[in-house]
Amino acid sequence: MDIKNALADRVTPLKASAIREIFKLLGKPGIISFAGGIPSPELFPTEIWANLLKEIVDTEGSKVFVYGVTEGYAPLAKIVDGINAENSVGKDFDRTIITTGAQQAIDLLIKSMVNEGEGVICEDPSFIGSLNAIRSYRANLFGVEMDEEGICTDKVEEILKKENIKIIYTIPTFQNPTGITQSIERRKKLLELAEKYDCYILEDNPYGDLRFRGEPVPTIKSMDTNGRVIYVGSFSKTLAPGVRVGWITGHEAIIDRVIVCKQVNDVHTPLINQMLVEQFITRYDYKAHIQKGCELYGHKCALMLECMDKYFPENVSYTRPEGGIFLWCTVPEGIDTQPIFKECIDAGVAFVPGSTCMVDIEAPSNCFRLNYSTMPDDKIEQGIKIIGDVLKKYVK
Amino acid sequence: MDIKNALADRVTPLKASAIREIFKLLGKPGIISFAGGIPSPELFPTEIWANLLKEIVDTEGSKVFVYGVTEGYAPLAKIVDGINAENSVGKDFDRTIITTGAQQAIDLLIKSMVNEGEGVICEDPSFIGSLNAIRSYRANLFGVEMDEEGICTDKVEEILKKENIKIIYTIPTFQNPTGITQSIERRKKLLELAEKYDCYILEDNPYGDLRFRGEPVPTIKSMDTNGRVIYVGSFSKTLAPGVRVGWITGHEAIIDRVIVCKQVNDVHTPLINQMLVEQFITRYDYKAHIQKGCELYGHKCALMLECMDKYFPENVSYTRPEGGIFLWCTVPEGIDTQPIFKECIDAGVAFVPGSTCMVDIEAPSNCFRLNYSTMPDDKIEQGIKIIGDVLKKYVK
């Protein structure tokens, strides 16, 4: 028998996430990893969380371990309402559902909204987890380049004119992988385009609260008057990715279908995880916790950029983010960063080669992503110097 | 704008799980619920779990809250190997992935294996969460009736002859909702049919360890020599549904695709949940814990049947399960149990009307599901008497 016959057409062309594969390499002792995508574990208040977990179960008892409602733990949903309000997210027609991380949010939204063969426009590069989720429902991906103001809306409109587009997927603030923040003009333009061409904007905002310099830019969702924007938030970058708690706020007619898809997906997000987030934010100073993160990442980002200025060849360019946890490097055109990546891994430093973040993952890319949130200062300097040394062999 | 345009065709016809909707009614104080589908919360060792959660975080620190590998926490996978071995599950070509409950296992398997328009054969009635997952990928459901030996394999073959079937979905042991256990002959026959008609068997076995009388019947997976059977297990019924931990064991070529789908679904099952299960089973007597459950459910099932014999009208028939947590009642043909359900809810007793478990959820059903695992003995007697009184009005 040919076991390949067992597989559905939607999954046969999918490639495993290269980032998840790199993640497995990181067990190598002493490796300096700029490949991650997580907040600094040194900020995790693990002692507090350990005590909270025990207290929650001591107080709530068996209720923690029975089934919860699919929509999410009500006290946590209330906290999310408060966080949303600070970003002017949520209108009368909107409703919120708690998800098992923002990744599930994207998956359920694509499943609920996009037919096979319909189009999704995204930034190119973008977050591999979202791109793969979109691919897994056989939607057509249309990547659009960015400049320093974010996605090029002229190019977006060119595609909208020609193709059957259902969703514009964007990470407007401290984008993954580039660190770029979309200007307010571009945000307004995207919303205009969604209205004009009758499609929807999926605003993915896991990093928005992690601003360490510059002025806040309003969320696209804050300008939404018709239900055109579906907003996705997450505690993965402000608290910890391992709690696996995120949310969607969008038009109730859409959330109604997302709920049904979540019922058949994981029934509900585990209560202990939802309760941990709820109790931590209720009883401790969440804003101060985020502020500490912003200060740390601002410092680490500046340090990394300083080291890059010092150790990278002159004709390597890079973004200078105002927040988030990533920056994006570009070597001269025609140079593929995949062999550079392999040589760096051998030299003990990991990052994410650009091709893995592109809509066309087969094409060579002259870019790569660096994460600055997790490594200690001395490792940042040491790692950047090693990458710089390798780069000098490839970039003349 | 018409927000309905936002939705994908695959989700518009889906109905929310009636069981999840009933679940919300159960907040009514004093309600006697036979509608649930969980092990007895009185068996949850919550004090142990509270302490374990704290100890895990105290010992492992921030590692608990970073990303884990999609395949699952390795020490838990090892424990699952052991549980599988006791059911003769797992061949050389098989591989295991930990999932966020068995519900996610079913969802990911349908996504990975079944194209839109392909057929899935299932027992009729079956588990609503699985039926909805199958519907959500636009597969065609073909329900097959059961007798006391389980799914009628002659009828299965009739469908296989005519239709393009990819998967036979079965809960062979203590089936949800009927409590019926498939005979070994039927299991062998199903596997033969899968070979003959080149399709696959999805063996869903969350209740298998909860036998309280009779002789064990081998899993279908134990007879699998070619990778025809994909096996799904769960800790939801042996430990607690709220931990949201299950698993799939199947041919590595299938699991390889399931991993990619899980990457884009929830990245990985939260580590704290996986570690809690792993630590509990490693450090405490899991078998004794299950044995306690079996004794309790055996007692409660016998009590419920005794009460039914006493209070139900004579021409109501019901299954007499050898394990699991459900039994299935049938009133004479032509009587719909939906109005009986409504009257019982008003009288303070909940169960699951049969129509919600059927492939055709619109058709009236003369059946209903009772759960006996969660209510105290006096409530079982009281609740069954109330149902009996209502039944007497409808069943002459």
Side-chain angles (χ1 to χ4, degrees):
Chain A
M1 68 184 268
D2 184 2
I3 195 80
K4 295 277 176 247
N5 293 339
L7 304 174
D9 298 335
R10 65 173 79 81
V11 301
T12 41
L14 295 178
K15 296 244 186 289
S17 159
I19 293 182
R20 298 251 90 209
E21 296 306 310
I22 293 168
F23 181 77
K24 290 183 202 164
L25 296 176
L26 302 184
K28 201 174 148 180
I31 197 143
I32 298 172
S33 173
F34 304 135
I38 66 167
S40 176
E42 67 186 88
L43 294 179
F44 296 175
T46 48
E47 205 182 313
I48 291 173
W49 290 347
N51 292 328
L52 278 180
L53 285 166
K54 179 166 158 49
E55 277 181 57
I56 289 165
V57 181
D58 282 341
T59 311
E60 301 289 329
S62 59
K63 271 187 280 177
V64 181
F65 298 106
V66 298
Y67 283 119
V69 295
T70 304
E71 291 80 346
Y73 179 56
L76 178 62
K78 214 165 178 178
I79 280 174
V80 165
D81 285 345
I83 296 171
N84 275 345
E86 292 186 19
N87 289 308
S88 306
V89 165
K91 299 288 190 299
D92 282 351
F93 50 73
D94 283 324
R95 197 170 158 191
T96 292
I97 177 174
I98 305 294
T99 58
T100 309
Q103 181 68 56
Q104 189 193 43
I106 307 294
D107 184 319
L108 296 178
L109 282 169
I110 301 300
K111 183 172 181 181
S112 299
M113 297 180 67
V114 186
N115 288 311
E116 292 195 1
E118 286 186 321
V120 176
I121 291 176
C122 64
E123 288 129 1
D124 198 15
S126 183
F127 169 49
I128 187 170
S130 297
L131 299 190
N132 274 348
I134 295 163
R135 290 180 182 115
S136 77
Y137 292 101
R138 304 187 95 185
N140 292 329
L141 267 175
F142 296 89
V144 172
E145 64 193 75
M146 281 172 282
D147 59 23
E148 63 283 359
E149 284 193 70
I151 194 166
C152 295
T153 40
D154 293 350
K155 300 275 166 62
V156 171
E157 184 156 20
E158 275 173 35
I159 296 168
L160 287 168
K161 276 180 190 163
K162 283 186 292 192
E163 305 288 345
N164 175 22
I165 301 297
K166 188 61 150 294
I167 281 180
I168 302 168
Y169 170 73
T170 179
I171 310 166
T173 307
F174 319 134
Q175 201 244 8
N176 178 3
T178 62
I180 291 172
T181 295
Q182 225 172 68
S183 67
I184 179 136
E185 292 73 24
R186 294 277 171 89
R187 292 174 193 228
K188 285 181 184 161
K189 185 71 193 175
L190 273 189
L191 192 51
E192 252 177 67
L193 291 174
E195 293 284 358
K196 183 170 170 188
Y197 293 93
D198 192 19
C199 64
Y200 296 83
I201 294 174
L202 203 173
E203 180 176 21
D204 189 7
N205 192 24
Y207 315 104
D209 286 334
L210 300 179
R211 176 174 288 278
F212 45 74
R213 62 184 183 88
E215 285 305 307
V217 185
T219 58
I220 308 177
K221 182 67 180 161
S222 69
M223 304 179 245
D224 178 31
T225 49
N226 275 331
R228 287 280 171 204
V229 185
I230 303 99
Y231 181 87
V232 171
S234 177
F235 292 105
S236 287
K237 314 301 169 182
T238 54
L239 289 177
V243 299
R244 309 303 308 120
V245 180
W247 71 91
I248 308 171
T249 301
H251 193 289
E252 56 188 352
I254 296 168
I255 299 299
D256 174 74
R257 299 290 83 189
V258 169
I259 290 169
V260 178
C261 287
K262 186 168 164 70
Q263 283 178 352
V264 305
N265 184 201
D266 66 358
V267 192
H268 65 90
T269 298
L271 279 170
I272 186 72
N273 304 55
Q274 297 189 67
M275 287 171 165
L276 177 63
V277 173
E278 186 268 328
Q279 281 294 300
F280 179 71
I281 296 180
T282 303
R283 292 166 57 176
Y284 293 86
D285 193 340
Y286 179 55
K287 282 204 176 158
H289 178 79
I290 291 178
Q291 190 48 38
K292 236 195 310 190
C294 291
E295 279 160 26
L296 185 70
Y297 307 149
H299 158 76
K300 283 183 188 291
C301 179
L303 173 67
M304 187 174 270
L305 286 167
E306 199 184 297
C307 296
M308 290 162 78
D309 292 343
K310 190 165 154 193
Y311 297 116
F312 277 16
E314 255 188 27
N315 44 1
V316 176
S317 62
Y318 27 88
T319 57
R320 293 181 179 269
E322 299 191 332
I325 59 177
F326 301 118
L327 55 81
W328 185 246
C329 304
T330 306
V331 303
E333 259 185 76
I335 299 173
D336 184 6
T337 54
Q338 196 68 46
I340 297 174
F341 164 72
K342 285 190 181 127
E343 208 168 321
C344 285
I345 283 279
D346 290 341
V349 187
F351 55 77
V352 174
S355 57
T356 65
C357 309
M358 304 303 289
V359 168
D360 179 1
I361 52 172
E362 303 294 346
S365 163
N366 61 326
C367 301
F368 58 96
R369 185 188 83 176
L370 294 175
N371 161 266
Y372 47 75
S373 60
T374 50
M375 284 288 122
D377 290 5
D378 59 329
K379 297 285 175 193
I380 289 180
E381 172 142 21
Q382 201 184 327
I384 292 297
K385 186 169 182 317
I386 292 172
I387 299 175
D389 288 344
V390 175
L391 280 173
K392 280 171 194 155
K393 295 199 223 167
Y394 289 82
V395 180
K396 302 296 162 194
Chain B
M1 66 183 270
D2 184 3
I3 196 79
K4 294 276 175 249
N5 294 336
L7 304 174
D9 298 335
R10 65 173 77 81
V11 302
T12 41
L14 295 178
K15 295 243 187 292
S17 158
I19 293 182
R20 298 252 89 208
E21 297 305 311
I22 293 169
F23 180 78
K24 290 184 202 164
L25 296 176
L26 302 183
K28 202 174 146 178
I31 196 143
I32 298 173
S33 174
F34 304 135
I38 66 168
S40 177
E42 67 186 89
L43 294 179
F44 297 175
T46 50
E47 203 181 315
I48 291 173
W49 289 347
N51 291 328
L52 278 179
L53 285 166
K54 179 166 157 49
E55 276 180 56
I56 289 165
V57 180
D58 281 341
T59 310
E60 301 288 329
S62 59
K63 270 186 281 177
V64 180
F65 297 106
V66 297
Y67 284 119
V69 296
T70 304
E71 289 81 345
Y73 179 57
L76 177 61
K78 214 165 178 177
I79 280 174
V80 166
D81 285 346
I83 296 171
N84 275 344
E86 292 186 17
N87 288 309
S88 307
V89 166
K91 299 288 191 301
D92 282 351
F93 51 72
D94 284 324
R95 197 171 159 191
T96 292
I97 178 173
I98 305 294
T99 58
T100 308
Q103 181 68 55
Q104 190 194 42
I106 306 294
D107 185 320
L108 296 179
L109 282 168
I110 301 299
K111 183 172 181 182
S112 299
M113 297 180 67
V114 186
N115 288 310
E116 293 195 0
E118 284 185 324
V120 176
I121 291 176
C122 63
E123 288 129 0
D124 196 16
S126 183
F127 168 49
I128 186 170
S130 296
L131 299 190
N132 274 348
I134 294 163
R135 291 179 181 115
S136 78
Y137 291 101
R138 305 186 95 184
N140 292 329
L141 268 174
F142 296 90
V144 172
E145 63 194 76
M146 283 171 282
D147 60 22
E148 63 283 358
E149 283 193 71
I151 193 165
C152 296
T153 40
D154 293 351
K155 300 274 166 62
V156 171
E157 184 157 20
E158 275 173 35
I159 296 169
L160 287 168
K161 275 181 189 162
K162 283 186 293 195
E163 306 288 345
N164 175 23
I165 301 297
K166 188 61 152 291
I167 281 180
I168 302 168
Y169 170 73
T170 179
I171 309 167
T173 308
F174 318 134
Q175 200 244 8
N176 178 2
T178 62
I180 292 171
T181 296
Q182 223 171 69
S183 67
I184 179 134
E185 292 73 24
R186 294 277 170 90
R187 292 175 193 228
K188 284 182 183 160
K189 185 73 193 172
L190 272 189
L191 191 51
E192 251 178 67
L193 291 174
E195 293 284 358
K196 181 168 171 191
Y197 293 92
D198 192 19
C199 63
Y200 296 82
I201 294 174
L202 203 173
E203 180 176 21
D204 189 7
N205 192 25
Y207 315 103
D209 285 334
L210 300 179
R211 176 176 288 279
F212 45 74
R213 63 185 183 86
E215 284 306 305
V217 185
T219 59
I220 308 176
K221 183 67 181 162
S222 70
M223 304 179 245
D224 179 30
T225 49
N226 275 330
R228 286 281 171 202
V229 185
I230 304 99
Y231 181 87
V232 171
S234 177
F235 293 104
S236 287
K237 314 301 170 184
T238 54
L239 289 177
V243 299
R244 310 300 311 119
V245 179
W247 72 91
I248 308 170
T249 301
H251 193 289
E252 56 188 352
I254 296 169
I255 300 298
D256 174 74
R257 299 289 82 189
V258 169
I259 290 169
V260 178
C261 287
K262 185 167 165 69
Q263 284 178 351
V264 305
N265 184 199
D266 66 358
V267 192
H268 64 92
T269 299
L271 279 170
I272 187 72
N273 305 55
Q274 296 188 67
M275 287 171 164
L276 177 63
V277 173
E278 185 268 329
Q279 280 295 300
F280 179 72
I281 296 179
T282 303
R283 293 166 57 176
Y284 294 85
D285 193 340
Y286 179 56
K287 283 205 176 154
H289 177 79
I290 291 177
Q291 191 46 40
K292 235 193 314 187
C294 291
E295 280 160 25
L296 186 70
Y297 307 147
H299 159 76
K300 283 184 188 291
C301 179
L303 173 66
M304 188 174 269
L305 287 166
E306 199 184 296
C307 297
M308 290 162 77
D309 292 343
K310 189 164 154 194
Y311 297 116
F312 277 16
E314 255 187 28
N315 45 359
V316 176
S317 63
Y318 27 88
T319 57
R320 294 183 178 269
E322 299 190 332
I325 59 178
F326 301 117
L327 54 81
W328 185 246
C329 305
T330 306
V331 303
E333 257 184 78
I335 300 173
D336 183 5
T337 54
Q338 196 69 44
I340 298 173
F341 165 72
K342 284 192 183 126
E343 206 167 320
C344 285
I345 283 278
D346 290 339
V349 187
F351 54 76
V352 174
S355 57
T356 65
C357 309
M358 304 303 288
V359 168
D360 179 1
I361 51 173
E362 304 294 345
S365 163
N366 61 326
C367 301
F368 58 96
R369 184 187 85 177
L370 293 175
N371 161 268
Y372 47 76
S373 60
T374 50
M375 284 289 122
D377 289 5
D378 58 330
K379 297 286 175 193
I380 289 179
E381 172 142 23
Q382 201 184 325
I384 292 298
K385 186 171 182 313
I386 292 172
I387 299 175
D389 290 343
V390 175
L391 281 172
K392 280 169 195 154
K393 295 197 223 167
Y394 290 82
V395 180
K396 302 294 161 193

